[in-house]
Amino acid sequence: MTLNTEGDTHVVVTRRFAAPPEAVYRAHTEPHLIQKWLLGPDGWIMPVCISEARPNGKIRYEWTNGKGGGFYLTGEYLELEPYSRIVHVERMHLPNPTPDNHVETRFDQDGGGTLMTLRMTLPDAETRARMLATGMEHGMEASYVRLESTMLG
Amino acid sequence: MPNLDAAFSALSDPTRRAILARLALGETTVMELAEPFEMSQPAVSRHLKVLENAGLIVRRVEGAKHPCRLAKAGVEAIDEWLAMLREALARNYDRLDQILADMKPENGKV
């Protein structure tokens, strides 16, 4: 897995999977599959998962830790190209909504597996910083990897 | 205890990130920082104030100079936080690996 910030407003995540793009795409769009893995830290579950995988289709994920802690995410699908590309927007409710995070997810055939490239675009650097600091957004917070290496190297 | 929210907010500015990168090389005075960034000393001082309030740098008084350096605790706190987030994300994808492995027989039927 790689995680990088790009420019002032992007966060890019890549990950390889030992399954064809169709399977990885389905695991990103079908609620009964999403609920099994998109959970973040151990102990969290997703009791509500709405994923209407069509243009303008709704997204709503609700997480709880079973101890009174919880938050939710809403969004809309913009473009879907089975089984290679998904474009959607999402926002966390904490409980006030965060600015929209525009996300493009690509699934490219990589031998017998899949290379996934997830590219987030935030409205501005400040929002990206807030997102990273808040530390939610289904465990998708990336990092100032480049900065870290600069600072700690 | 560094304030992570303030720290990330401070890091959202490219000039402040560059200042931190410079400080990673060693203690520096405001005057020395102002030169490469082609900024006025008051402008640099404003950025330093933000970094100081976020717990990312510390400054000491040495006569009229105020040399500043990276605050180890602040930098380490951010590093730990990011490691935790990266781990949460990695766990998500490890779980997904398992889901995909379980889907294989299903694919065979299709």
Side-chain angles (χ1 to χ4, degrees):
Chain A
M1 188 178 82
T2 69
L3 276 161
N4 279 296
T5 54
E6 203 182 272
D8 282 339
T9 60
H10 304 289
V11 177
V12 179
V13 178
T14 69
R15 175 69 151 77
R16 285 190 161 73
F17 296 99
E22 178 178 349
V24 185
Y25 178 97
R26 286 180 50 206
H28 276 79
T29 49
E30 296 182 16
H32 71 285
L33 295 172
I34 294 169
Q35 277 174 303
K36 289 179 184 165
W37 68 271
L38 195 52
L39 303 171
D42 285 342
W44 286 77
I45 57 168
M46 190 196 289
V48 175
C49 178
I50 297 168
S51 168
E52 301 171 353
R54 52 179 163 74
N56 301 317
K58 270 189 223 164
I59 298 169
R60 186 182 174 100
Y61 303 151
E62 296 183 18
W63 291 274
T64 173
N65 63 359
K67 297 174 198 156
F71 56 94
Y72 67 100
L73 172 152
T74 61
E76 295 83 39
Y77 284 106
L78 300 178
E79 296 172 50
L80 293 118
E81 296 171 28
Y83 299 100
S84 60
R85 185 169 168 264
I86 300 168
V87 182
H88 77 277
V89 290
E90 63 179 37
R91 60 205 73 86
M92 292 297 310
H93 297 260
L94 304 165
N96 294 325
T98 57
D100 280 5
N101 181 10
H102 186 276
V103 186
E104 180 189 37
T105 314
R106 300 195 59 89
F107 308 95
D108 294 306
Q109 184 95 39
D110 178 42
T114 302
L115 170 63
M116 183 196 75
T117 307
L118 189 153
R119 186 182 162 90
M120 301 181 217
T121 305
L122 286 310
D124 49 54
E126 181 71 22
T127 303
R128 184 178 70 179
R130 291 269 146 202
M131 185 185 86
L132 293 169
T134 308
M136 298 228 179
E137 228 259 281
H138 56 71
M140 283 288 153
E141 287 59 43
S143 66
Y144 280 98
V145 170
R146 201 182 47 206
L147 173 66
E148 273 180 281
S149 55
T150 311
M151 287 169 66
L152 304 172
Chain B
M1 187 64 195
N3 175 346
L4 278 173
D5 205 36
F8 276 102
S9 178
L11 289 172
S12 69
D13 181 89
T15 303
R16 288 196 286 270
R17 293 202 292 270
I19 289 174
L20 288 173
R22 171 62 189 85
L23 292 177
L25 304 175
E27 197 174 65
T28 312
T29 64
V30 176
M31 209 191 302
E32 287 165 336
L33 280 172
E35 205 177 355
F37 293 108
E38 293 180 348
M39 289 175 74
S40 67
Q41 288 190 29
V44 170
S45 291
R46 275 196 296 276
H47 282 303
L48 292 175
K49 188 88 196 145
V50 174
L51 291 168
E52 189 177 21
N53 290 341
L56 292 171
I57 66 165
V58 287
R59 305 169 79 174
R60 59 190 178 84
V61 181
E62 189 187 277
K65 288 189 246 169
H66 294 84
C68 39
R69 59 184 164 79
L70 286 187
K72 202 159 173 284
V75 173
E76 281 174 358
I78 286 181
D79 192 39
E80 278 170 30
W81 177 251
L82 291 173
M84 209 173 76
L85 295 172
R86 204 174 299 126
E87 203 180 309
L89 179 54
R91 268 206 293 271
N92 270 358
Y93 289 132
D94 290 345
R95 273 192 291 261
L96 178 50
D97 282 335
Q98 189 55 53
I99 307 302
L100 294 168
D102 294 345
M103 282 168 75
K104 271 179 184 162
E106 197 184 325
N107 285 344
K109 275 184 237 162
V110 173

